Amino acid sequence: MKKFKLLRSVIAVLSVFALVFSLVACAQSKVEEPQTEAPPAGDTAPAPDPVELQIFAANSLEKALPEVQALYTQAHPEVTFAATQFKASGDLVEQIGAGATADLLITASKGSMDTAVEGGSIDDTTRIDMFANDLVIVKAKGADITVGSLEDVKSDAFSKIAIGDAATVPAGQYANQALNSIGLYSSDTGKDGEYDAAIAGKVVLADKVGTAANYVATGDCQIGFVYTSDIYRYDGIETAFTVPADAHKAILYPGAVLKASANADVANDFLNFCLTDPGAQSIWSQYGFEVL
Amino acid sequence: MALCLLLATPVPAGAVEGSQAQTQTQATIEVSRSGTDARAEGLDFAISDFSRLNKGTNKEYEGAYFGYRYPMASEDAFAVVVIDEKTALAYLPQNALNRLAAQDPSQGFAILLNALDEKASHGGTMLTSMELAYEYTSERSVERGGYRYDFAVEVEPGHYYATVTKDGSTDGSAGALFCDTGRVIPAADVFIEQEPVGFAAFAEFFTSLDLRPFWVSLRTSAVAIIFVFVLGLLAAWWSQRMGTRLKGVLDSILTIPLVLPPTVCGFLLLVLFGNSTPVGRWLLAHGIELIFSWPAAVLAATVVSFPLMYRTARGAFEGLDPSLGDAARTLGWSEPRIFLRLTMPLVWPSIAAGTVLAFARAMGEFGATLFVAGNYPGVTQTMPIAIYFEWMGGHSDVATFWVLVVILFSFVVILFVNGYASHTQRYRRVSADETDAVVRTRREVTR
């Protein structure tokens, strides 16, 4: 009886390990599938070495940039893109500081790019302002909400206001600058300040601008501060009020190649492609980014 | 997405050629799923290559300024520039007007245009949500309200733009809100790709679904559990044989990942292995990039699931009657033999349950993984991370799918643990009955 018990447990342990290893092997073969398919496509081109670019881009570019990347790969089959990281600009700069490798960085504010430059990871000569954007207050599609002016955010009609966390989200900083212009935020940089008591209890901080847009789309917040371009990438939100451009700093998206990039030339070429290719221009236009 | 828009807009008799139109009061409009093509019943023309340009650019081309420009679909494309909330300037080139035949553009053309614009607006201001006065023109250059509007301007070879310029200014952006462009083509030439409905939509959802998070989760947890199994057993066996004071400290250190928030574990791992620390630099110097890579995900999963294995194994070892070991020793069994043939069989049910729980914990790991491994689809994007990012990205359907997968998986795990426990309990119950019998016999004997 005891012997059988032991035999059974030994078999159990062995079978568990066998299962685990087969799963690992299976998973690895599954994951490698796309990679083994990729080379033939590249081989048809004369000779250029395949290049994979890793881009870190502001969250607001999440829908538009992949389309431009696909356009670039069409024109240059040897260049593919690793899964692009779309996070709050501040998070991306932190991530690069922590040692993540990337070829190209596009942020949604001068300030976040400046921080990356100070961190020493950016090739400053490649830095260029790529896009301009606008700040809007959005509401859920069809919601019975009117925002006639910036002051209206104090209205009792709104119990939750979605704003990007200014520590990392540039859209949050621009929103706070606008709020500062009417005395609802204590710091004119839009960072490190406090919300006025009139709205302090209502502000819901989002970890990236897309999250703020989603909070409004799902109805968890009545209004939120996002970019105009976010309206075109999220279903379920619409403009309630366009924040006057003079209420905040100019919304600019600087892009730059990283010093550590092994494919700096290709990265720079892609940066240039984004700004000059007519096909790319059409995509930016549709998603509401003004190419500079 | 509404694919067929049934517009109640009456199409006046005579506006559309053919006898059908005489009685038609509703036009069935079909818009392709890409939102680029549309046709309507009873119209012999269609719109193709449509796009809604929410922003243009003031950028110069090779040193020359062309105004604030919107890319047009082609040289013979139409462009509808919305000048302000009240006026729209619709440029229809001669060939487009020919296709409309004698029909007034404010009829069939406007219906197609509005349907396409609505689909492309995504919540932006729609043509139909403003009370626009349309001005139709086939002139290539029109001046309105201080701005000049030029159409089909070949800015670079083969690419045409609608431009807005203001004399003496290099910013014409204030002269337009947005611009719609596309081509008028014969209805027979347009191909409308239908949006799948019902089962087809379901099938498409699954074929387009990226299943990599499942494999990444499984791979990460499977490798992590090997480390956890070996390290957990060793740590439990080792700590059990230590002096009590040291044991208390060691036990706390080994158990603390269980009670710490995973973000704290992630933070500590990042601080320990990040590129700005000696350990991280040493690893980097030896060609190992740990942070934001798959091994980092395994590391995070191992750290957070280790305590579950360690605690259950230790509990099982401590629950053993030491006299059993002593008895075996008096029979001349060696220590390895005692461990393999006495201890392990006795503690195995607890160890198995601990392994399954640790595996499930590794599968569910989110905080520490996000911290040290990031969100790289196909590499470190596990199911929990996919759920978070898919939801935030507005793909709640994909997020729901993964939520269901995780719930199902957890349910199976719990079922397995319970089943296994009752199985081992049955064995215990049987032996308990036997002991009862022995006691009863003894009592009877003493009586």
Side-chain angles (χ1 to χ4, degrees):
Chain A
M1 176 93 185
K2 268 255 159 89
K3 266 190 180 165
F4 272 121
K5 192 87 194 151
L6 179 66
L7 193 67
R8 274 226 300 269
S9 28
V10 169
I11 288 170
V13 173
L14 285 177
S15 55
V16 162
F17 274 92
L19 185 72
V20 161
F21 277 111
S22 62
L23 284 176
V24 171
C26 180
Q28 262 165 349
S29 65
K30 278 268 172 191
V31 165
E32 276 157 15
E33 249 168 18
Q35 289 170 346
T36 47
E37 277 166 23
D43 286 345
T44 52
D49 288 336
V51 172
E52 193 183 54
L53 287 184
Q54 172 72 64
I55 300 180
F56 277 22
N59 179 253
S60 41
L61 294 161
E62 195 170 16
K63 289 265 166 72
L65 188 59
E67 289 188 25
V68 175
Q69 289 171 356
L71 205 63
Y72 189 77
T73 300
Q74 248 174 44
H76 307 268
E78 76 280 7
V79 183
T80 53
F81 294 87
T84 302
Q85 294 283 299
F86 294 105
K87 289 190 179 175
S89 300
D91 281 338
L92 293 173
V93 174
E94 282 288 315
Q95 202 166 325
I96 288 173
T101 47
D103 297 300
L104 186 62
L105 172 70
I106 305 173
T107 68
S109 71
K110 272 180 143 61
S112 46
M113 185 59 90
D114 289 344
T115 313
V117 169
E118 283 159 26
S121 52
I122 301 296
D123 178 0
D124 213 8
T125 59
T126 60
R127 177 173 172 167
I128 184 166
D129 285 339
M130 300 178 72
F131 317 108
N133 214 336
D134 301 320
L135 190 70
V136 288
I137 296 176
V138 287
K139 58 174 182 174
K141 213 169 188 171
D144 185 21
I145 283 170
T146 43
V147 181
S149 68
L150 211 45
E151 274 86 356
D152 282 358
V153 298
K154 284 188 286 190
S155 157
D156 291 335
F158 312 131
S159 58
K160 293 271 187 291
I161 305 167
I163 299 178
D165 185 349
T168 54
V169 186
Q173 293 162 14
Y174 297 124
N176 292 346
Q177 288 160 14
L179 290 172
N180 173 261
S181 73
I182 54 164
L184 291 180
Y185 190 77
S186 62
S187 150
D188 62 352
T189 60
K191 255 177 129 172
D192 308 322
E194 297 290 332
Y195 291 101
D196 185 83
I199 59 163
K202 301 179 182 178
V203 172
V204 178
L205 295 181
D207 65 344
K208 46 191 187 282
V209 67
T211 310
N214 211 22
Y215 283 158
V216 177
T218 56
D220 297 326
C221 293
Q222 288 93 30
I223 53 169
F225 284 84
V226 301
Y227 301 119
T228 359
S229 62
D230 292 313
I231 292 168
Y232 308 120
R233 71 181 175 115
Y234 274 94
D235 285 326
I237 51 171
E238 60 185 24
T239 315
F241 178 72
T242 305
V243 179
D246 56 9
H248 53 78
K249 286 183 191 162
I251 303 175
L252 299 174
Y253 286 62
V257 177
L258 274 86
K259 274 183 191 161
S261 169
N263 302 301
D265 291 344
V266 183
N268 214 355
D269 188 61
F270 175 72
L271 195 66
N272 201 33
F273 176 89
C274 285
L275 300 176
T276 56
D277 183 77
Q281 170 64 54
S282 177
I283 294 169
W284 301 125
S285 286
Q286 289 176 46
Y287 281 98
F289 291 98
E290 183 179 336
V291 178
L292 294 172
Chain B
M1 268 288 145
L3 147 79
C4 288
L5 300 160
L6 280 172
L7 288 200
T9 325
V11 178
V16 181
E17 285 177 310
S19 58
Q20 264 188 313
Q22 300 296 323
T23 51
Q24 194 179 0
T25 51
Q26 283 193 332
T28 309
I29 302 172
E30 290 176 282
V31 177
S32 72
R33 65 183 310 197
S34 57
T36 53
D37 309 87
R39 70 170 169 227
E41 216 179 311
L43 292 179
D44 58 3
F45 61 86
I47 292 180
S48 121
D49 295 337
F50 175 86
S51 60
R52 179 185 151 114
L53 308 162
N54 293 301
K55 282 281 167 68
T57 178
N58 254 320
K59 206 176 164 66
E60 294 180 346
Y61 178 73
E62 294 193 339
Y65 179 67
F66 288 87
Y68 190 72
R69 54 195 167 99
Y70 296 97
M72 286 171 65
S74 65
E75 188 182 11
D76 59 356
F78 67 81
V80 178
V81 177
V82 178
I83 296 176
D84 53 38
E85 267 103 38
K86 292 194 177 64
T87 28
L89 186 59
Y91 162 77
L92 282 160
Q94 198 50 51
N95 82 313
L97 285 175
N98 294 345
R99 294 245 160 75
L100 299 186
Q103 200 198 56
D104 186 342
S106 66
Q107 305 301 331
F109 173 75
I111 290 173
L112 292 179
L113 180 71
N114 286 339
L116 283 164
D117 182 73
E118 183 176 346
K119 175 149 182 161
S121 68
H122 280 282
T125 321
M126 288 183 283
L127 289 177
T128 46
S129 60
M130 295 177 283
E131 287 182 12
L132 287 173
Y134 284 88
E135 186 187 333
Y136 292 93
T137 179
S138 56
E139 296 292 320
R140 282 198 162 202
S141 187
V142 178
E143 281 198 39
R144 287 291 172 278
Y147 288 92
R148 200 178 76 244
Y149 301 88
D150 290 290
F151 300 98
V153 181
E154 189 173 16
V155 171
E156 47 204 293
H159 297 282
Y160 298 86
Y161 290 80
T163 63
V164 186
T165 40
K166 189 178 189 177
D167 273 346
S169 165
T170 52
D171 185 4
S173 60
L177 296 177
F178 63 94
C179 171
D180 282 348
T181 181
R183 293 189 306 126
V184 178
I185 61 165
D189 293 356
V190 77
F191 172 68
I192 305 279
E193 198 196 344
Q194 305 280 344
E195 199 133 356
V197 281
F199 183 73
F202 206 64
E204 201 200 54
F205 173 75
F206 278 101
T207 46
S208 67
L209 197 66
D210 182 4
L211 288 174
R212 289 180 301 173
F214 180 74
W215 297 114
V216 171
S217 272
L218 213 55
R219 202 151 56 110
T220 310
S221 319
V223 174
I225 202 65
I226 295 172
F227 287 112
V228 168
F229 185 83
V230 175
L231 294 176
L233 272 188
L234 285 178
W237 184 247
W238 187 43
S239 80
Q240 190 214 3
R241 305 175 139 226
M242 271 189 159
T244 31
R245 194 173 298 166
L246 198 62
K247 188 175 161 180
V249 177
L250 190 79
D251 189 54
S252 310
I253 293 174
L254 293 176
T255 313
I256 205 164
L258 189 67
V259 290
L260 281 179
T263 44
V264 173
C265 297
F267 181 85
L268 292 176
L269 287 174
L270 197 60
V271 166
L272 190 62
F273 294 107
N275 288 4
S276 49
T277 64
V279 183
R281 274 199 293 271
W282 184 85
L283 285 173
L284 210 58
H286 289 75
I288 305 167
E289 267 185 65
L290 185 66
I291 296 303
F292 304 120
S293 69
W294 183 66
V298 175
L299 179 71
T302 306
V303 168
V304 294
S305 58
F306 170 83
L308 279 169
M309 183 71 205
Y310 164 73
R311 295 292 300 190
T312 39
R314 210 197 61 169
F317 286 145
E318 280 173 358
L320 274 183
D321 188 348
S323 59
L324 284 175
D326 295 339
R329 275 178 209 105
T330 60
L331 294 172
W333 283 27
S334 63
E335 289 299 317
R337 194 178 176 199
I338 293 173
F339 181 79
L340 279 176
R341 305 202 62 178
L342 179 71
T343 313
M344 277 309 278
L346 283 172
V347 298
W348 177 247
S350 308
I351 303 253
T355 311
V356 174
L357 282 176
F359 184 77
R361 177 68 189 86
M363 281 287 258
E365 171 43 30
F366 174 78
T369 309
L370 192 57
F371 238 107
V372 292
N375 168 38
Y376 290 83
V379 185
T380 66
Q381 192 191 59
T382 58
M383 287 190 285
I385 291 178
I387 290 169
Y388 180 73
F389 281 91
E390 293 293 353
W391 187 80
M392 291 302 178
H395 309 125
S396 45
D397 48 351
V398 184
T400 311
F401 171 80
W402 288 120
V403 164
L404 292 176
V405 169
V406 171
I407 290 176
L408 199 72
F409 180 82
S410 310
F411 186 74
V412 169
V413 166
I414 293 167
L415 217 60
F416 176 81
V417 172
N418 284 350
Y420 199 87
S422 70
H423 172 78
T424 52
Q425 236 111 66
R426 195 174 58 208
Y427 159 75
R428 277 192 186 144
R429 231 182 3 253
V430 169
S431 56
D433 289 348
E434 279 168 7
T435 8
D436 277 355
V438 172
V439 172
R440 247 178 281 127
T441 338
R442 269 191 202 150
R443 271 191 208 134
E444 276 161 21
V445 168
T446 43
R447 217 176 276 162

